[in-house]
Amino acid sequence: MIPIKTDAEIKCMREAGRVAATILDKMVAAVAPGISTYELDQLGARFMEELGATSASYNYKSGKHSYPCYTCISVNEELVHGIGSLKKILKQGDIVSIDVAVFYNGFVGDNARTVVLEPVPANILHLVKTTEEALYVGIAQACPGNKLGDISSAIQQFVEKNKLSVVRDFVGHGVGRDMHEEPQIPNFGKPKTGPILKAGMTLAIEPMVNLGSHKVELLSDGWTVVTADRKPCAHFEHTILITEKKPEILTFLKK
Ligand code: MF3
Ligand code: CO
């Protein structure tokens, strides 16, 4: 069963979304040549503390390994769940994905963005722009009466039309009191399949897109996911609410 949030829960989800988006925005502003991914993660932890949020990723358990960082920072061939390191110092030409998932007043806001440290080649800008657009293409399908597969297939078709590949091994997800709720939201699939979407569902839609092959591998640290061909990749994510009208992006920062 996909949970339908009550009005009270939606109010909390809006706040959690706003806080998650604020933290991601502040971290993105700190991305610059010379900063290590460890320092960037620590900065994220500090922003969480200042805003009264806690990390949903820190100590998150999957299998044997609990996740050791407050945010996920993944560079170049790293797709998701990169681990901050003092030795990993950002430099010109890097592609940096930051994923911020926080608890705020008992609810989770989850969002991610990929930024580049200019200058980067045109194919990298195409990769990043297409992945961001794919997120909005997917969100546009999040309407009552549509099916989950409509989101998945819209993302896949858009990405493949742009000569890039969608990752199969990691998916978006329902989000609420827990970071991962039903349903799983693949970035590939067939239209008009899967569960019917309803107002009140809150979903984290997150296209992960590779420049080369769609295949990924897990590094021996048990967390870092890299592209199998070690080519660059990108990742964008929003937490959204399905409404009777247009989907509401809960992690969209109004400035
Ligand atoms: N925020 C990620 C997601 O979109 C997961 C957090 S990373 C983990 O689902 F380390 F906690 F798994
Ligand atoms: Co997520």
Side-chain angles (χ1 to χ4, degrees):
M1 274 297 287
I2 304 176
I4 303 291
K5 269 68 179 184
T6 63
D7 287 350
E9 289 171 324
I10 287 169
K11 204 165 162 263
C12 295
M13 286 295 293
R14 276 197 187 102
E15 288 175 8
R18 179 180 43 80
V19 169
T22 304
I23 294 161
L24 177 57
D25 200 59
K26 287 157 86 81
M27 288 181 72
V28 163
V31 169
I35 190 169
S36 72
T37 57
Y38 173 83
E39 292 168 299
L40 200 51
D41 183 59
Q42 287 294 308
L43 209 51
R46 190 180 349 127
F47 297 146
M48 289 178 199
E49 208 181 324
E50 283 169 6
L51 289 164
T54 57
S55 169
S57 305
Y58 186 71
N59 255 334
Y60 185 89
K61 256 212 157 50
S62 146
K64 285 200 290 284
H65 312 267
S66 59
Y67 189 68
C69 306
Y70 297 89
T71 67
C72 303
I73 304 170
S74 310
V75 184
N76 298 333
E77 76 281 4
E78 297 175 352
L79 175 69
V80 289
H81 307 164
I83 292 178
S85 163
L86 273 172
K87 285 190 221 138
K88 195 169 285 172
I89 296 170
L90 298 182
K91 57 183 187 310
Q92 274 193 354
D94 280 345
I95 313 159
V96 186
S97 299
I98 304 179
D99 188 335
V100 173
V102 296
F103 285 104
Y104 185 74
N105 287 341
F107 288 82
V108 175
D110 190 1
N111 63 168
R113 211 190 294 170
T114 298
V115 292
V116 299
L117 284 168
E118 303 263 18
V120 296
N123 63 345
I124 299 298
L125 293 176
H126 175 72
L127 165 72
V128 173
K129 182 165 169 271
T130 302
T131 309
E132 182 167 24
E133 286 173 0
L135 170 59
Y136 290 98
V137 163
I139 291 172
Q141 294 297 319
C143 300
N146 272 5
K147 293 189 170 169
L148 191 68
D150 295 325
I151 299 177
S152 305
S153 70
I155 292 172
Q156 179 178 23
Q157 285 178 28
F158 182 79
V159 169
E160 292 179 353
K161 198 175 72 192
N162 279 285
K163 305 274 182 281
L164 299 164
S165 15
V166 285
V167 169
R168 273 49 164 181
D169 295 3
F170 292 85
V171 296
H173 49 91
V175 54
R177 286 181 197 273
D178 290 312
M179 176 162 61
H180 296 142
E181 294 184 346
E182 277 190 61
Q184 292 199 0
I185 310 175
N187 296 301
F188 60 96
K190 293 195 166 53
K192 300 191 173 66
T193 61
I196 295 182
L197 302 175
K198 295 187 180 143
M201 292 178 176
T202 46
L203 308 175
I205 300 176
E206 47 181 321
M208 288 157 259
V209 176
N210 293 350
L211 193 62
S213 143
H214 70 81
K215 292 198 179 120
V216 296
E217 286 173 9
L218 185 64
L219 293 187
S220 60
D221 62 20
W223 278 106
T224 309
V225 176
V226 297
T227 53
D229 55 17
R230 302 300 191 267
K231 290 187 181 169
C233 47
H235 176 210
F236 281 80
E237 174 177 32
H238 272 309
T239 297
I240 65 118
L241 165 72
I242 300 183
T243 79
E244 294 299 342
K245 297 177 196 152
K246 279 203 307 194
E248 181 179 331
I249 303 177
L250 304 180
T251 46
F252 194 84
L253 212 55
K254 295 168 206 82
K255 292 198 177 161

